Amino acid sequence: MVLDDTMSAAWALADVLAGSRGRAGPLSLEPALEREFEARLRDSSGLAFRVALSVLRRREDAEDVAQEAFLRAHRSFGALRDRDRFRAWLVRTAFRLALDRIRGERRRTRREDAVAVEARLTADSVEDDAARGELRARVAEAVAALPEKLRLVTVLVAIEEQDLASVARLLELPEGTVKSRLHRARKELAERLRWLATETH
């Protein structure tokens, strides 16, 4: 399945229900809850997928993580106390699942990234491509080294281009806290990238 910002919630819901039958028997919600779940999924699924993709950097892995987040959301939807916070809950779930996947596949990811960088090197601009690939790898490594709370605001603001007010609402934090975390994240990234640069010279 290919997920994007225009994906239909009905399609996503069908996949979620099919997956739930395969894993833990059929799951169903009351019709009114099912309709509400579908509407909230339509509103939130694109951002949850993009957050997973920003962390994992591989579309297939991000699709798997997003589907797992949707499945968990469907299973828990009836028990959620405040369904108005569903969007933030789904995004955080997708983010944490993506981090779990990285922790479990760190070695394989490094090998695949190295192969992908090599494959992108072409005869006409080997040095330029290598430099760009090395820079991307350094930035990704620096972002991955951030503490989780700093990494999430970095992904949402710097990569997803969400404004501070939107991120504050999404994470249910004061805007000042988001701004402070982003400042700390940028400072840590600058220090980490400086350290990585000196390490290679």
Side-chain angles (χ1 to χ4, degrees):
M1 178 180 119
V2 176
L3 296 175
D4 58 32
D5 294 345
T6 60
M7 67 177 285
S8 110
W11 185 14
L13 180 58
D15 280 353
V16 166
L17 292 174
S20 70
R21 291 187 189 102
R23 298 181 198 189
L27 297 176
S28 62
L29 296 170
E30 294 294 323
L33 277 181
E34 200 75 72
R35 288 191 297 273
E36 183 182 352
F37 174 77
E38 184 175 330
R40 291 189 185 277
L41 183 64
R42 181 185 302 115
D43 177 59
S44 310
S45 58
L47 180 58
F49 169 71
R50 291 195 310 273
V51 164
L53 183 61
S54 296
V55 173
L56 294 165
R57 292 176 294 153
R58 289 196 303 271
R59 191 175 188 87
E60 287 183 5
D61 289 349
E63 287 173 357
D64 289 345
V65 163
Q67 281 299 94
E68 179 63 27
F70 299 161
L71 178 61
R72 291 189 184 193
H74 187 260
R75 285 177 172 161
S76 305
F77 192 71
L80 289 179
R81 289 183 204 163
D82 186 354
R83 290 193 292 275
D84 287 338
R85 296 180 177 178
F86 175 81
R87 182 178 170 90
W89 181 88
L90 182 65
V91 167
R92 283 195 297 267
T93 298
F95 181 73
R96 289 189 181 116
L97 286 171
L99 291 182
D100 289 345
R101 191 173 186 111
I102 281 179
R103 291 182 188 114
E105 299 180 352
R106 194 166 283 156
R107 289 179 193 166
R108 183 173 69 82
T109 300
R110 282 198 198 108
R111 286 196 301 268
E112 290 180 356
D113 284 351
V115 169
V117 167
E118 281 183 33
R120 286 194 299 267
L121 297 177
T122 57
D124 42 336
S125 60
V126 172
E127 289 183 9
D128 288 346
D129 284 352
R132 282 194 295 270
E134 185 178 347
L135 178 60
R136 281 194 298 270
R138 285 182 184 177
V139 171
E141 183 180 341
V143 171
L146 289 172
E148 180 177 323
K149 63 183 182 181
L150 302 185
R151 194 178 339 175
L152 183 52
V153 297
T154 301
V155 167
L156 290 172
V157 175
I159 299 175
E160 283 303 310
E161 300 181 353
Q162 300 279 319
D163 59 56
L164 292 177
S166 298
V167 173
R169 285 194 301 272
L170 184 64
L171 300 181
E172 299 168 5
L173 293 170
E175 192 170 332
T177 300
V178 173
K179 189 174 182 179
S180 171
R181 288 184 183 180
L182 186 61
H183 176 75
R184 285 169 52 203
R186 286 173 173 162
K187 186 176 178 183
E188 286 194 27
L189 282 174
E191 290 173 359
R192 176 71 176 167
L193 289 169
R194 257 197 312 272
W195 178 79
L196 285 171
T198 57
E199 193 181 45
T200 58
H201 293 296

